[in-house]
């Protein structure tokens, strides 16, 4: 009878599509796939529609001319990391200043023990961590995620950028407010990248930003926006 019951359960499991195997993908694999996945066409119809929907921009009024997939991915990763880092640092500081060593959180006790073992050398990872966080915030502020151009008034543009490092913000600007920086072009590759990540490579109004030239729909969209040509592109 027991055998019959087991066979019945097995049969029902198969017929209902139950799976006893564990999912092979992990959170790490999903994050890795999110960061490294490539798209066949940066401006295919589906991607354009998703961008307009995400940004709540009317597709009949605006044309997507710039779409930086890498900036979009790193934006979400940084926007998730920074609040966690700030919250963890706050808990650490409060726990250190308000509780005795035996009453502190386990991770706080471990960090304090590791710091005491390192002695003065603890300054090295601390400085490195501060540098990494500052660099992430700076890059988050500089990189433009998407740019739209108005179909009726080709002098009008709209940039999707980071605001306060954790939210996306729409910034409208006119063509005469945009200009490119080329002082880093004569530098070596390493110096050029460092300068662009620190100071950007374009200016909109009184703010500096960073763009990737190959993320435009075509080069004439970039050159027109930056006042390098006077012929507007087809929208």
């Amino acid at each position: 009878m027991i055998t019959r019951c087991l066979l019945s359960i097995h049969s029902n499991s198969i017929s209902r599509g139950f799976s006893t195997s564990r999912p092979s993908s992990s959170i790490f694999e999903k994050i890795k796939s999110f960061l490294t996945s490539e798209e066949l066409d940066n401006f295919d119809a589906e991607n354009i529609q998703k961008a307009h929907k995400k940004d709540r921009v009317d597709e009949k009024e605006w044309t997507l001319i710039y779409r930086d997939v890498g900036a979009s991915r790193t934006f979400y990763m940084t926007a998730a990391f920074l609040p966690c880092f700030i919250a963890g640092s706050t808990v650490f500081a409060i726990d250190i200043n308000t509780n005795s060593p035996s009453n502190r959180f386990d991770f706080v006790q471990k960090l304090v023990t590791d710091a005491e073992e390192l002695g003065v050398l603890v300054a090295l990872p601390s400085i490195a961590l501060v540098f990494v966080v500052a660099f992430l915030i700076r890059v988050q502020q500089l990189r433009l995620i998407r740019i739209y151009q108005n179909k009726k008034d080709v002098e009008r543009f709209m940039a999707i950028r980071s605001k306060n490092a954790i939210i996306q913000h729409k910034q409208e600007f006119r063509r005469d407010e945009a200009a490119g920086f080329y002082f880093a072009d004569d530098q070596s590759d390493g110096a050029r990248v460092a300068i662009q990540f620190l100071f950007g490579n374009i200016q909109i109004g009184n703010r500096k930003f960073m763009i990737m030239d190959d993320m435009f729909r075509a080069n004439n969209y970039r050159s027109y926006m930056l006042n390098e040509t006077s012929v507007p592109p087809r929208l």
Side-chain angles (χ1 to χ4, degrees):
M1 182 175 181
I2 295 175
T3 304
R4 187 182 302 171
C5 289
L6 291 174
L7 290 173
S8 177
I9 293 172
H10 177 70
S11 176
N12 290 336
S13 299
I14 294 175
S15 63
R16 294 179 184 179
F18 291 163
S19 175
T20 57
S21 61
R22 295 182 179 179
S24 58
S25 61
S26 63
I27 295 177
F28 175 77
E29 290 297 329
K30 291 179 180 179
I31 294 175
K32 181 180 178 181
S33 175
F34 173 74
L35 291 174
T36 60
S37 61
E38 297 183 358
E39 298 180 358
L40 296 178
D41 186 357
N42 202 23
F43 289 95
D44 65 11
E46 183 179 356
N47 287 331
I48 292 174
Q49 187 177 15
K50 287 180 179 179
H52 279 273
K53 184 177 180 180
K54 182 184 299 182
D55 299 328
R56 297 181 180 179
V57 174
D58 188 357
E59 196 168 352
K60 296 179 180 179
E61 185 178 356
W62 297 88
T63 297
L64 180 65
I65 65 169
Y66 178 87
R67 180 172 177 264
D68 190 343
V69 180
S72 179
R73 290 170 178 167
T74 55
F75 168 82
Y76 288 113
M77 295 297 294
T78 305
F81 165 75
L82 288 177
C84 295
F85 174 77
I86 294 172
S89 300
T90 303
V91 170
F92 179 84
I94 293 174
D95 202 26
I96 285 288
N97 290 296
T98 59
N99 296 322
S100 61
S102 59
N103 292 328
R104 293 170 183 167
F105 290 111
D106 291 340
F107 83 94
V108 175
Q109 294 182 27
K110 187 177 187 307
L111 288 174
V112 171
T113 301
D114 292 342
E116 291 174 348
E117 291 178 355
L118 287 173
V120 294
L121 294 178
V122 73
L124 296 178
S126 300
I127 293 173
L129 179 60
V130 171
F131 175 80
V132 169
V133 172
F135 178 77
L136 287 175
I137 293 175
R138 180 58 178 167
V139 172
Q140 192 85 324
Q141 292 174 336
L142 282 176
R143 295 187 73 176
L144 293 181
I145 301 172
R146 285 175 291 277
I147 302 175
Y148 296 88
Q149 187 172 4
N150 192 273
K151 294 181 178 180
K152 296 179 180 179
D153 183 359
V154 294
E155 300 283 318
R156 287 178 61 198
F157 296 86
M158 179 192 299
I160 307 298
R161 63 174 179 85
S162 167
K163 183 178 181 181
N164 299 327
I166 58 174
I167 61 175
Q168 292 185 4
H169 174 71
K170 299 176 186 176
Q171 178 178 340
E172 289 197 31
F173 63 96
R174 297 196 65 83
R175 180 169 170 256
D176 56 10
E177 298 179 78
F181 290 154
Y182 308 104
F183 60 87
D185 291 349
D186 297 331
Q187 306 296 325
S188 63
D189 291 342
R192 183 172 64 253
V193 171
I195 290 173
Q196 289 184 355
F197 272 93
L198 288 175
F199 305 106
N201 55 12
I202 67 168
Q203 181 167 335
I204 298 175
N206 58 357
R207 286 200 55 175
K208 295 179 175 62
F209 296 99
M210 184 174 66
I211 58 173
M212 302 295 178
D213 292 346
D214 55 351
M215 294 298 171
F216 279 89
R217 184 184 288 265
N219 186 61
N220 58 330
Y221 292 90
R222 172 196 171 279
S223 58
Y224 182 77
M225 186 187 79
L226 297 179
N227 296 280
E228 296 173 359
T229 58
S230 57
V231 180
R234 291 183 59 185
L235 300 175

